[in-house]
Amino acid sequence: MTALDPEKRYRIGEFGALVGLSTYTLRYYEDEGLIRARRDENDQRYYTVNDIGWIGFLLHLKGTGMKLTELKQYVKWRAQGDQTIPQRRDLLEQVREASLAEIREREASLKVLSHKIDWYDGKLDHQIADNESFAEYLSQFSDQD
Amino acid sequence: MTALDPEKRYRIGEFGALVGLSTYTLRYYEDEGLIRARRDENDQRYYTVNDIGWIGFLLHLKGTGMKLTELKQYVKWRAQGDQTIPQRRDLLEQVREASLAEIREREASLKVLSHKIDWYDGKLDHQIADNESFAEYLSQFSDQD
DNA sequence: GTAACCCTTCGAGTCGACTCTAAGGCAAGC
DNA sequence: GCTTGCCTTAGAGTCGACTCGAAGGGTTAC
């Protein structure tokens, strides 16, 4: 069991590599108020393993399709304490619905794409094209190809 | 049963409303070689119900996350006839994999977001915050909030 | 007949989220 | 002592996919 030292200071470059963000992006996020970094006696930023949690959470939110502006609003509310929990909850709920809708749309599109791949596979299987059944097959998707 | 007239000519504005694209976008796609429009004796574009199929298919491909550049390549190959079927198939396959990977990532992110919503709901239920269990709960996600 | 629509070219603007450069300067490791 | 990394501010550049505007002119619908 290698225990990670909670005191270890990661400088911005090292930390960026750890969380998968460039130094540019880390500073950019800091400018935008999404994250904070502590500073050493020479004003150089440093992070600890503790900071991974929050950034990971942020990246998950971003991964749902949440925009930076929304993230900024969220962080702002968070800084205002527990009385903004309803707003934060509602924002996340709204993001969740939008994200689920996008997934559903994408899945529908993927279905069409997959059928097309299947059709290509069929066409590749037996070189003799049966254009009659092709047209029939395609009519399922209102796809003229 | 209202049969739609396959001869009916839709001008660009009407057709755009039908497929959910602006006239700008339709002309743009045409410039990019993705679609074609017939012209009347005065060089005005027109479309028929027949054109809906291809555009719908395109929009489905786009809906999987396929980029315009990829779409353009696809259309180019399509114009070259059946000998490019393997390339087209492979391109679609590649798009499919990328798209599925994105869905999986988004689903993982959504799980985190949903847990957070649940947690807010719990917190809203009983006003007395139990910070001990909160920290415990969050540690699941390596989320410091 | 007049408003609303369509045509062309061509270039500029928008949005989102970075990404990088410049300029000038400190700091740490080998 | 020199390379590499970090600091600042401020602004420019990138990518993708539109979106719009101007200019100048034809067309369609009521």
Side-chain angles (χ1 to χ4, degrees):
Chain A
M1 219 55 182
T2 50
L4 20 161
D5 184 356
E7 299 293 305
K8 160 134 204 220
R9 297 181 170 191
Y10 294 87
R11 301 179 72 195
I12 193 166
E14 197 183 358
F15 188 71
L18 201 62
V19 298
L21 296 175
S22 71
T23 57
Y24 298 128
T25 306
L26 282 170
R27 290 198 203 93
Y28 172 62
Y29 281 0
E30 191 173 331
D31 286 347
E32 297 297 307
L34 297 181
I35 57 178
R36 255 183 279 171
R38 255 136 296 148
R39 302 301 183 110
D40 68 14
E41 57 288 349
N42 295 311
D43 249 18
Q44 307 248 128
R45 287 176 185 81
Y46 71 87
Y47 307 82
T48 69
V49 284
N50 260 312
D51 297 312
I52 297 176
W54 170 243
I55 292 193
F57 181 58
L58 268 190
L59 292 180
H60 274 304
L61 293 189
K62 223 175 79 61
T64 64
M66 201 170 170
K67 292 182 186 166
L68 281 223
T69 50
E70 293 170 321
L71 243 8
K72 280 155 79 172
Q73 177 63 74
Y74 180 82
V75 169
K76 212 167 154 188
W77 273 329
R78 197 172 83 105
Q80 284 167 23
D82 281 4
Q83 79 266 28
T84 62
I85 284 180
Q87 287 94 317
R88 283 184 262 162
R89 198 218 97 100
D90 289 353
L91 173 55
L92 293 193
E93 182 63 43
Q94 175 199 315
V95 168
R96 199 175 87 98
E97 292 308 320
S99 194
L100 285 170
E102 273 180 46
I103 285 184
R104 280 191 293 269
E105 222 201 287
R106 174 162 293 211
E107 277 169 347
S109 292
L110 268 174
K111 200 167 276 182
V112 172
L113 184 149
S114 296
H115 277 301
K116 187 73 181 184
I117 290 177
D118 288 349
W119 178 76
Y120 279 141
D121 285 345
K123 185 123 183 184
L124 288 172
D125 258 13
H126 42 79
Q127 309 278 14
I128 304 104
D130 179 359
N131 282 307
E132 202 74 60
S133 69
F134 172 33
E136 210 177 308
Y137 180 84
L138 283 174
S139 67
Q140 278 184 263
F141 317 113
S142 326
D143 169 10
Q144 293 186 96
D145 185 322
Chain B
M1 223 52 186
T2 51
L4 19 162
D5 184 357
E7 299 292 306
K8 160 137 204 218
R9 298 180 169 191
Y10 294 87
R11 302 179 70 195
I12 193 166
E14 197 183 358
F15 189 71
L18 201 62
V19 298
L21 296 175
S22 71
T23 57
Y24 298 126
T25 305
L26 283 170
R27 291 198 203 94
Y28 172 62
Y29 281 0
E30 191 173 330
D31 286 346
E32 296 298 308
L34 298 181
I35 56 178
R36 257 183 279 171
R38 255 136 298 151
R39 303 299 184 114
D40 67 15
E41 57 289 348
N42 295 311
D43 249 16
Q44 307 248 128
R45 288 176 184 81
Y46 72 86
Y47 308 81
T48 69
V49 284
N50 261 313
D51 298 311
I52 297 176
W54 170 243
I55 294 196
F57 182 59
L58 269 189
L59 293 181
H60 274 305
L61 292 188
K62 223 175 77 64
T64 64
M66 200 170 170
K67 292 179 186 166
L68 281 222
T69 51
E70 293 170 320
L71 244 6
K72 279 155 81 171
Q73 177 62 76
Y74 179 82
V75 169
K76 212 165 154 187
W77 274 330
R78 197 171 83 105
Q80 284 166 25
D82 280 5
Q83 79 266 27
T84 62
I85 285 180
Q87 286 93 315
R88 284 184 262 163
R89 199 218 95 101
D90 290 353
L91 174 56
L92 294 193
E93 182 63 43
Q94 175 199 315
V95 167
R96 199 175 85 98
E97 291 308 320
S99 195
L100 284 170
E102 272 180 46
I103 286 183
R104 280 190 292 270
E105 222 201 286
R106 175 161 293 211
E107 277 169 346
S109 291
L110 268 175
K111 200 167 277 183
V112 172
L113 185 148
S114 295
H115 277 301
K116 189 72 181 187
I117 290 177
D118 288 349
W119 178 77
Y120 280 142
D121 285 344
K123 187 125 180 180
L124 287 172
D125 258 13
H126 43 76
Q127 308 280 12
I128 305 105
D130 178 1
N131 282 306
E132 201 75 56
S133 68
F134 172 33
E136 211 178 307
Y137 179 84
L138 282 173
S139 67
Q140 278 183 262
F141 316 113
S142 327
D143 167 10
Q144 292 185 96
D145 184 322

